[in-house]
């Protein structure tokens, strides 16, 4: 077998092409596809990924590889194939894709394993020698006695802390030759300090049995398996199907990935999975953005080495380097958080479907409110549809009551936070020692500061939005760019003392509830209150233990959480997402209402949901009220088909932005003219228009929206047009294929 003489690599720099390097004789047997290398690039060294092994190369001036980084390949051939597909489909450079496939801590190879000093006796301790030592050096004798009783080596620092002795005493024993120290790598396990109780399979109801059998048959012949959409109402036991399906994959010698949309879901999911698969300490690995760099390094290497066979995580976990992948579960597949908002702008659900196809494995999409795209794929036969219509343990679906805020406003004469009906229902729950969740997808205390004299609002200087007042830090803040400002005493525009706070967020809801129910324990879960490491987990554990009566939060509490004592859910303002300038606004509102409502009535007591809204007759709200997904799907599908929106056509959104409005506008209009020349009449091309959120982080933004059926062809034509068109240095162009935000 001939040795590798040359390699083709992708460098971790934005150069948009692959390069060839010569392989030194010493590395010829050790380099393979997916290996990480250090190579000379221009006048510096750079890190690179091997994408092909070559026996010869026609490139000019070939230089030699400097070093191999790590012995094992960092990427499999299948993941590299997935990366190339992403580069083409999502119209982005392959280097950006490699950055997503490999965590930064692995890519840069700057952080190694954590080392610790372990202590153990050198030989069996002689009692006489110990007695002599006790007379001469009692502290050394005390330490030697403790070491002699060890069942296994222990970290030296831990032992010294336990018996309150210092390093000097330990070094003296080492010098005498009585004990020995050795350095070992130790795991940084994000859940290493927790105990998980082993659990067994739960008994399935007839619907769950049928759904699980569909997955098992797919696991038997994964090459022919279509993606499976598990559409089950909230509380129908989808997670139990995931657990038993993964057990089936493990029994066949395969591994599994479980994607969850929110970091806040991860602790509860991890607990269930670690308990169910407690037979192996390293069997379950966790990947999400709240891990430290050291924990991410160790978890990734645990997966890549094959020790971990189940991976749980947010969207980037779809790239987990598992061997012999058998099953990918995408929980809450409809969630917009699976869409990445910077390059590569991939959707983890769609990437999971493609990875499953490449690796010949099964993909299971689970949700109570499927995305229109997935449900359309299921009804047209592209996916297999499996349905759960009943909650487990025969729990009833919660009763949903609509509160018309127009009438409440006429009664109360002010902005309504808690309607009379919701307030009375909360008081009733507190009397019965039952718990309440209040949902509002807006942070802060007041959403704007307005002058009652001149009408001027305090807006962000960088973005086209009003600043939000946060009372706990007594500052105004922009939730888009992070800009903060002091609260002025007088209006900066007219100089008069007429400033008033308008609107409200979760902080004000928490304050209002605490005043209305002074005896209740009220807590808030949003991005402002959950900044401390472990805050998600601690708050959810307290809520589950009954230490919190009322939990106020944003969408991080809206889905996936299971608390049997929650019998009331209040949706403070259901209209927030409904009137956005986005074709998915109605779909998002329907999904959010259904998901939030699903947190109620998961125990023996029936649940109740109060939906406060100014538009009570909106189809999204009425269909959600009756838990009628099929009815909503049919109506929304007709609208999408008439307007040529997904799932009937793919969309591509190009955003042109610059700190100079005129340059952004001119560049966008020029791009539209070139696109009209290149992409042809088979695609629908919109004109350049200011984005609904025109200014963001100091940049003026213009949108160009395209739609068409042949998305790969459209992506290629857009990329070719952009490559030929020079833009000014201060103008940035971003391409988003299958966009989820049109703001």
């Amino acid at each position: 077998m001939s040795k590798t003489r040359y390699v083709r690599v992708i460098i971790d720099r934005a150069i948009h092409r692959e390069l060839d390097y010569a392989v030194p004789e010493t590395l010829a047997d050790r380099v393979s596809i997916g290996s990480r290398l250090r190579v000379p690039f221009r006048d510096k060294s750079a890190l690179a990924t091997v994408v092909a092994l070559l026996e010869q190369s026609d490139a000019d001036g070939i230089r030699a590889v400097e070093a191999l980084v790590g012995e094992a390949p960092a990427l499999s051939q299948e993941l590299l194939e997935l990366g190339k597909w992403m580069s083409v489909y999502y119209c982005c450079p392959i280097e950006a894709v490699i950055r997503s496939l490999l965590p930064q801590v692995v890519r840069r190879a700057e952080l190694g394993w954590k080392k610790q000093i372990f202590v153990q006796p050198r030989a069996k301790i002689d009692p006489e020698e110990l007695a002599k030592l006790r007379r001469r050096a009692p502290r050394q004798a005390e330490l030697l006695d403790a070491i002699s009783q060890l069942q296994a080596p222990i970290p030296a620092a831990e032992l010294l802390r336990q018996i309150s002795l210092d390093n000097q005493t330990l070094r003296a024993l080492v010098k005498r030759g009585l004990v020995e120290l050795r350095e070992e790598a130790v795991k940084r396990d994000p859940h290493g300090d927790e105990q998980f109780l082993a659990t067994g399979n739960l008994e399935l109801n007839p619907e769950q049995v049928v759904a699980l059998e569909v997955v098992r048959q797919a696991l038997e012949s994964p090459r022919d398996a279509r993606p499976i959409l598990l559409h089950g109402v909230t509380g129908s036991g989808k997670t139990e199907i995931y657990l038993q399906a993964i057990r089936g994959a493990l029994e066949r010698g395969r591994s599994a990935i479980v994607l969850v949309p929110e970091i806040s879901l991860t602790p509860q999911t991890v607990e269930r999975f670690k308990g169910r698969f407690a037979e192996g300490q390293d069997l379950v690995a966790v990947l999400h953005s709240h891990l430290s760099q050291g924990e991410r390094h160790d978890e990734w290497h645990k997966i890549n080495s094959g020790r971990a066979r189940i991976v749980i995580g947010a969207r980037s976990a779809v790239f987990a380097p598992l061997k012999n992948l058998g099953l990918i579960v995408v929980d809450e597949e409809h969630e917009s958080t699976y869409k990445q908002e910077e390059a590569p702008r991939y959707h983890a659900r769609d990437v999971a479907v493609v990875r499953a196809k490449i690796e010949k494995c099964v993909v299971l999409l689970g949700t109570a409110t499927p995305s229109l795209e997935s449900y359309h794929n299921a009804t047209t036969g592209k996916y297999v549809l499996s349905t759960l219509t009943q909650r487990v343990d025969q729990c009833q679906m919660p009763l949903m009551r609509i509160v018309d805020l127009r009438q409440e406003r006429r009664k109360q004469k002010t902005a309504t936070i808690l309607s009379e009906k919701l307030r009375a229902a909360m008081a009733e729950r507190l009397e019965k020692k039952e718990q309440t969740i209040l949902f509002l997808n807006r942070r802060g205390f007041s959403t704007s500061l307005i002058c009652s004299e001149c009408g001027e609002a305090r807006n962000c200087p960088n973005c086209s939005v009003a600043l939000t007042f946060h009372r706990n830090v007594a500052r105004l803040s922009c939730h888009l760019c992070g800009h903060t400002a002091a609260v002025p005493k007088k209006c900066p525009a007219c100089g008069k003392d007429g400033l008033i706070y308008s609107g409200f967020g979760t902080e004000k809801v928490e304050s209002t509830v605490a005043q209305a129910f002074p005896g209740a324990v009220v807590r808030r879960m949003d991005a402002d209150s959950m900044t401390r490491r472990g805050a998600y987990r601690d708050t959810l554990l307290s809520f589950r233990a009954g230490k919190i009566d009322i939990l106020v939060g944003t969408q991080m509490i809206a889905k996936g959480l299971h608390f049997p004592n929650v019998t009331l859910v209040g949706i403070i303002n259901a209209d927030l997402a409904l009137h956005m300038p986005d074709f998915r606004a109605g779909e998002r509102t329907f999904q959010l209402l259904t998901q939030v409502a699903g947190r109620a009535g998961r125990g023996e007591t029936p649940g109740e949901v109060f939906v406060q809204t100014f538009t009570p007759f909106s189809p999204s709200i009425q269909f959600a009220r009756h838990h009628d997904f099929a009815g909503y799907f049919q109506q929304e599908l007709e609208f999408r088909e008439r307007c040529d929106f997904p799932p009937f056509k793919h969309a591509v959104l190009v955003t042109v932005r610059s700190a100079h409005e005129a340059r952004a506008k001119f560049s966008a209009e020029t791009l539209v003219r070139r696109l009209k020349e290149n992409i042809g009449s088979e695609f629908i091309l919109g004109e350049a228009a200011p984005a609904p959120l025109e200014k963001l982080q100091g940049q003026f933004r213009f949108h160009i929206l395209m739609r068409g059926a042949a998305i790969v062809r459209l992506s290629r034509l857009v990329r070719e047009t952009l490559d030929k068109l020079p833009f000014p240095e201060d103008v940035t162009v971003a391409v988003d294929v299958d966009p989820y935000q049109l703001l």
Side-chain angles (χ1 to χ4, degrees):
M1 183 178 168
S2 59
K3 292 187 176 180
T4 302
R5 298 182 59 197
Y6 299 96
V7 286
R8 185 156 292 156
V9 303
I10 294 168
I11 290 190
D12 292 4
R13 306 273 178 92
I15 63 169
H16 308 319
R17 62 194 176 103
E18 297 171 355
L19 299 176
D20 290 358
Y21 284 88
V23 180
E25 189 74 22
T26 52
L27 297 178
D29 292 330
R30 296 159 58 200
V31 172
S32 58
I33 291 175
S35 290
R36 294 283 289 168
L37 304 175
R38 189 172 295 282
V39 297
F41 180 68
R42 294 177 183 153
D43 57 346
K44 295 181 180 177
S45 285
L47 290 167
T49 306
V50 178
V51 293
L53 306 178
L54 311 170
E55 289 192 10
Q56 56 186 37
S57 172
D58 299 328
D60 296 326
I62 290 184
R63 301 162 79 181
V65 169
E66 291 177 352
L68 176 66
V69 180
E71 286 300 318
L75 289 174
S76 65
Q77 292 195 36
E78 290 84 1
L79 278 173
L80 280 170
E81 186 182 339
L82 179 68
K84 288 174 182 175
W85 173 84
M86 287 174 62
S87 176
V88 172
Y89 187 91
Y90 291 109
C91 197
C92 67
I94 187 69
E95 306 93 84
V97 177
I98 296 291
R99 284 198 296 273
S100 286
L101 294 178
L102 284 175
Q104 181 180 341
V105 68
V106 175
R107 206 169 58 247
R108 293 192 176 175
E110 292 168 350
L111 190 68
W113 296 95
K114 182 181 177 183
K115 300 290 178 65
Q116 227 172 2
I117 304 295
F118 282 76
V119 61
Q120 64 183 33
R122 185 174 285 280
K124 194 166 170 57
I125 306 298
D126 182 5
E128 287 184 21
E129 194 171 357
L130 185 61
K132 286 180 192 174
L133 189 62
R134 194 167 274 123
R135 288 193 294 274
R136 290 199 311 273
R139 291 164 69 82
Q140 290 181 33
E142 183 187 353
L143 180 54
L144 183 61
D145 189 29
I147 293 171
S148 68
Q149 294 176 37
L150 292 176
Q151 301 296 315
I154 186 174
E158 187 181 321
L159 178 67
L160 293 173
R161 190 169 57 248
Q162 285 176 6
I163 57 178
S164 304
L165 290 173
D166 56 21
N167 261 321
Q168 192 176 345
T169 310
L170 180 60
R171 282 197 297 272
L173 290 178
V174 173
K175 199 171 181 181
R176 289 176 182 273
L178 296 171
V179 301
E180 65 177 357
L181 305 178
R182 71 169 189 270
E183 192 178 58
E184 284 185 15
V186 292
K187 290 179 294 185
R188 289 162 287 207
D189 186 345
H191 300 277
D193 58 343
E194 297 175 59
Q195 295 292 319
F196 296 99
L197 295 175
T199 61
N201 289 349
L202 301 179
E203 189 176 338
L204 303 181
N205 63 30
E207 283 188 333
Q208 288 175 302
V209 170
V210 172
L212 182 59
E213 188 55 34
V214 170
V215 184
R216 282 187 172 148
Q217 286 177 9
L219 287 169
E220 287 292 340
S221 51
R223 285 178 178 275
D224 311 316
R226 288 175 289 163
I228 301 165
L229 177 63
L230 179 60
H231 177 204
V233 297
T234 54
S236 58
K238 293 184 289 292
T239 305
E240 184 61 28
I241 292 172
Y242 305 158
L243 288 161
Q244 296 198 26
I246 289 168
R247 175 66 71 191
L250 294 185
E251 287 168 354
R252 290 168 175 81
R254 311 291 292 270
S255 56
I257 294 172
V258 183
L259 299 182
V260 291
E262 300 279 347
I263 293 166
S264 59
L265 293 188
T266 310
Q268 188 167 329
T269 308
V270 168
E271 183 183 334
R272 292 188 71 172
F273 278 77
K274 289 256 188 184
R276 185 63 59 90
F277 301 100
E279 67 266 21
Q281 189 181 2
D282 286 343
L283 200 57
V284 179
V286 181
L287 290 176
H288 58 70
S289 60
H290 276 207
L291 299 182
S292 69
Q293 288 288 70
E295 288 170 345
R296 184 179 293 276
H297 171 277
D298 291 4
E299 291 291 282
W300 189 91
H301 281 282
K302 184 166 81 174
I303 299 162
N304 198 39
S305 67
R307 297 200 313 278
R309 295 175 62 203
I310 302 168
V311 175
I312 303 169
R315 66 174 172 260
S316 62
V318 73
F319 306 121
L322 282 167
K323 309 288 188 290
N324 204 12
L325 187 59
L327 177 65
I328 305 176
V329 174
V330 185
D331 190 27
E332 311 291 3
E333 65 84 27
H334 66 278
E335 272 298 323
S336 59
T337 46
Y338 283 127
K339 176 73 173 175
Q340 172 130 317
E341 294 302 330
E342 58 273 344
R345 293 173 174 81
Y346 68 90
H347 195 296
R349 176 201 62 216
D350 300 339
V351 170
V353 170
V354 175
R355 184 174 182 186
K357 189 175 179 182
I358 290 170
E359 303 221 21
K360 306 292 186 291
C361 76
V362 179
V363 63
L364 174 60
L365 314 175
T367 176
T369 53
S371 63
L372 258 75
E373 289 88 340
S374 293
Y375 200 77
H376 182 65
N377 283 337
T379 55
T380 55
K382 194 173 177 183
Y383 293 178
V384 175
L385 179 62
S386 191
T387 309
L388 304 174
T389 60
Q390 300 293 320
R391 283 186 155 191
V392 293
D393 301 328
Q394 302 305 309
C395 294
Q396 295 174 9
M397 293 298 290
L399 179 65
M400 200 178 284
R401 302 185 187 278
I402 308 298
V403 179
D404 189 340
L405 288 179
R406 296 170 301 178
Q407 294 180 10
E408 289 290 323
R409 192 160 198 154
R410 284 195 286 270
K411 281 190 282 186
Q412 298 191 22
K413 307 296 186 203
T414 57
T416 304
I417 294 180
L418 299 178
S419 62
E420 289 178 6
K421 292 176 181 176
L422 178 56
R423 195 183 290 248
M426 290 169 67
E428 188 183 326
R429 291 327 189 271
L430 287 169
E431 267 184 48
K432 294 179 179 177
K433 305 291 185 198
E434 294 168 3
Q435 292 171 296
T436 298
I437 286 177
L438 296 180
F439 170 81
L440 177 67
N441 210 17
R442 181 173 278 169
R443 294 184 284 136
F445 191 82
S446 295
T447 50
S448 56
L449 183 62
I450 299 172
C451 177
S452 59
E453 298 289 336
C454 69
E456 190 74 21
R458 290 290 288 140
N459 291 324
C460 174
N462 308 316
C463 309
S464 307
V465 293
L467 294 172
T468 299
F469 174 59
H470 290 257
R471 193 170 71 171
N472 63 334
V473 290
R475 288 187 73 79
L476 296 168
S477 171
C478 174
H479 292 166
L480 297 175
C481 71
H483 171 83
T484 64
V487 181
K489 289 187 169 58
K490 293 184 177 179
C491 174
C494 68
K496 294 184 179 176
D497 187 12
L499 293 174
I500 55 171
Y501 294 104
S502 174
F504 56 87
T506 46
E507 193 181 348
K508 189 166 185 178
V509 174
E510 180 189 27
S511 171
T512 303
V513 171
Q515 287 173 9
F517 304 102
V521 179
V522 185
R523 290 288 180 274
R524 173 165 52 97
M525 274 187 78
D526 57 24
D528 299 319
S529 61
M530 295 289 111
T531 53
R532 180 178 57 79
R533 183 174 163 80
Y536 289 101
R537 191 172 63 195
D538 296 345
T539 305
L540 292 176
L541 286 173
S542 296
F543 192 55
R544 179 184 296 176
K547 296 175 184 175
I548 298 170
D549 299 311
I550 301 167
L551 186 64
V552 179
T554 54
Q555 65 180 22
M556 64 175 64
I557 65 168
K559 49 253 175 198
L561 301 175
H562 179 80
F563 299 111
N565 198 38
V566 173
T567 58
L568 177 66
V569 168
I571 296 164
I572 302 299
N573 186 347
D575 303 321
L576 278 182
L578 190 57
H579 305 298
M580 295 279 188
D582 190 326
F583 71 90
R584 284 195 177 91
E587 180 185 4
R588 285 202 191 98
T589 300
F590 174 84
Q591 289 168 342
L592 204 52
L593 293 181
T594 305
Q595 293 286 343
V596 178
R599 300 316 105 210
R602 285 172 163 254
E604 294 176 4
T605 311
E608 201 171 12
V609 181
F610 283 80
V611 180
Q612 300 186 161
T613 173
F614 286 101
T615 48
F617 300 110
S618 158
S620 299
I621 290 171
Q622 287 299 325
F623 280 116
R625 177 189 187 183
H626 297 291
H627 310 287
D628 182 7
F629 175 80
Y632 179 75
F633 170 78
Q634 201 54 50
Q635 176 174 307
E636 184 70 8
L637 208 63
E638 289 171 13
F639 154 69
R640 298 278 184 93
E641 189 170 20
R642 282 201 309 272
C643 299
D644 284 316
F645 277 123
F648 298 98
K649 293 279 196 296
H650 286 274
V652 175
L653 180 69
V654 178
T655 303
V656 181
R657 65 178 191 269
S658 172
H660 301 92
E661 185 176 7
R663 281 187 205 170
K665 183 180 181 183
F666 177 76
S667 298
E669 289 171 346
T670 304
L671 178 55
V672 168
R673 284 199 300 273
R674 293 293 175 86
L675 286 168
K676 280 179 179 174
E677 294 168 10
N678 293 349
I679 69 172
S681 59
E682 66 178 296
F683 300 108
I684 303 166
L685 172 62
E687 294 295 330
L693 192 61
E694 188 173 358
K695 192 179 181 188
L696 179 67
Q697 298 176 345
Q699 302 266 305
F700 292 93
R701 304 156 72 242
F702 285 80
H703 278 173
I704 303 162
L705 185 65
M706 290 164 273
R707 284 164 286 160
I711 185 60
V712 174
R713 176 171 152 73
L714 179 57
S715 291
R716 181 170 53 77
L717 291 170
V718 170
R719 171 53 54 206
E720 288 172 0
T721 306
L722 289 172
D723 287 345
K724 292 174 187 170
L725 192 61
F727 289 96
E729 275 188 16
D730 62 347
V731 172
T732 304
V733 180
V735 180
D736 191 358
V737 177
D738 297 335
Y740 258 63
Q741 289 288 351
L742 298 183
L743 299 180

